Amino acid sequence: MHDPAELRTLHLERFHAEPAVFAAPGRVNLIGEHTDYAEGFVMPAAINFATLAGISPNTSGKIAIYSENYREERSFDAAALPVKPSGHWSDYPMGVAHVLAGEGHRIPGFSLSLWGDVPLGSGLSSSAAVEVATALAVESLIGTSYPGPVLARLCQRAENQFVGASSGIMDQFISIHGQENHALLLDCRDLSSKLAPIPDEVALVIANTMVKHSVAGGDYPTRRREAEAACAVIARHRPEVKFLRDATLADLERWGHEMEPKSLMRARHIVSENLRTVAAADALLRGDLEELGRLMAEAHWSYSRDFEASCVEADAMVELAADLPGLIGARLTGGGFGGCTVNLVEQTEAETFAQKLGERYTARMGIVPEIHICHASGGAHRVA
Ligand code: ADP
Ligand code: MG
C-alpha cells in the first residue's frame, strides 16, 4: 500500500484541505470461479495492495476527483450528478456517488484523491478497491455507515448498473471483509461467510500473464449465458433449481443430453467448482494443504477445459509452476482469458519460486511477467 501520508500531502497541495483517508484492498480469489452469479461459493483473500481515497468537503458545489494513477482531475456538478457513464476511470467513483444518491442521500460538493497500487485491469480488482475506498470516504462525509454486506451490494451496483460491467459480489465483499492471514469462504446466495486460516508459512504468489482480461468484453457474458441456459434445462425438470448452485452433477448426467454441448461444459465447471470451493475451505480449516493444492489444480483444468476461460499463457504459467519447489497449488484466478495465476507457495521458497517461474515463463512465452509475493490482508478501513 502507498504511504497514506503521501496521499495526504498530495491532497493538501491540490485541494488545500485536510483529507480523511480510507484504504480498500484488492483481492485474489483462491478458488471458486464464475460461481458467484450462480449463487454459489467463492474463496478470496484480500491482499496487501490497496487503493487509498482522501476526501474533504468543499463549498463550491463541485465534486472534484483526482487520480494520482492517471494524473488527471475531473469535475462534476454535485447538484446534477451524471446519470450515464462516460467510459472514463471517473465512472467508478462517480458510480458510487450515483448509487448513494439513489439511496436518498444528498451528495454535497467534495474533493477526492485516489491512489492505488493494485495493478489496474489485471484481475486483482482495482475496480472494487476504488469503489469501496470511495464509498467509505463519501459515507464519512455524509455521516452514514452501512453494514458491510449492504455496502458491498451498493458498490457492486455502482459497477453493474453505472459502469456497466457485469461482475458478481465477491470483489466488493472481500475488499470490505478481508482479514489478515485468512481466506474467506463466501456464500454468494445469502452473503454468509466463514474465515479459513492461511498458515503464516504460506505466501500468495500472484503471477501476471500480462495478457489483458476484460470483463466488459464479450466472453464473460457469453459464458454466463451458456451456463444459465443449462440451468434453465434442469429447471424444466426440477423447478426448485433456480441457479446452478441448486444443481448437482447427477442432474447434469441425467439431462445433459438436452443441453447445447457448450452449455453442459460450462455448467459442469460451475457445479463441480462449487463442490471444490467448499472442500477447499474445509481443507484450509483442517490444515490439509496437500488437498487444497489438489483442488486448485483440478479447478484450473476445469476452468480451462470445460469453461474454456483460460488461454495459452495462463495454462503455461500453471504448468511451469507445477514442479517448482515449495508449490502447494496453482490456478488461473479472476474472470478469465488472461490476468493472473495464484500460487500458494511455502514462504521460505517464495522468492526463488517467483524468480524461477518468471524465467521459465519468459523462455516459453517471450513475455516478462510481473510476479508479486503477497499475503492475506485486512479489509477496508479508515487510515489513522
Ligand atoms: P481490475 O478490477 O481487475 O483491476 P477492471 O477493468 O475491473 O480491472 O477495473 C480497472 C479500472 O478501474 C481502471 O481501468 C480504472 O478505470 C479504474 N480504477 C482502478 N483503480 C483506479 C485508481 N487508482 N484511479 C482511478 N481509476 C481506477
Ligand atoms: Mg474489476
Side-chain angles (χ1 to χ4, degrees), residues 27 44 200 267:
R27 61 98 186 95
D200 271 351

Side-chain angles (χ1 to χ4, degrees), residues 27 92 121-129 131 159 165 167 171-172 213 215:
R27 61 98 186 95
Y92 291 84
S122 299
L124 301 181
S125 211
S126 68
S127 59
E131 289 150 15
E159 185 151 343
S167 52
D171 302 355
Q172 294 82 6
H213 84 295
V215 290

Side-chain angles (χ1 to χ4, degrees), residues 208-274:
N208 193 337
T209 61
M210 311 307 277
V211 179
K212 281 270 175 214
H213 84 295
S214 164
V215 290
D219 292 323
Y220 181 100
T222 308
R223 291 297 184 284
R224 189 170 169 165
R225 252 197 324 275
E226 288 164 344
E228 284 165 357
C231 188
V233 169
I234 300 170
R236 285 209 295 267
H237 303 281
R238 287 213 299 130
E240 66 276 23
V241 174
K242 303 276 185 250
F243 292 88
L244 281 176
R245 152 70 178 275
D246 307 309
T248 62
L249 292 171
D251 291 331
L252 298 177
E253 290 272 323
R254 192 145 172 220
W255 294 303
H257 66 277
E258 293 178 24
M259 299 168 189
E260 294 286 334
K262 293 280 183 205
S263 275
L264 174 60
M265 287 160 67
R266 309 313 180 225
R268 196 161 54 212
H269 167 74
I270 293 177
V271 173
S272 62
E273 185 82 345
N274 271 325

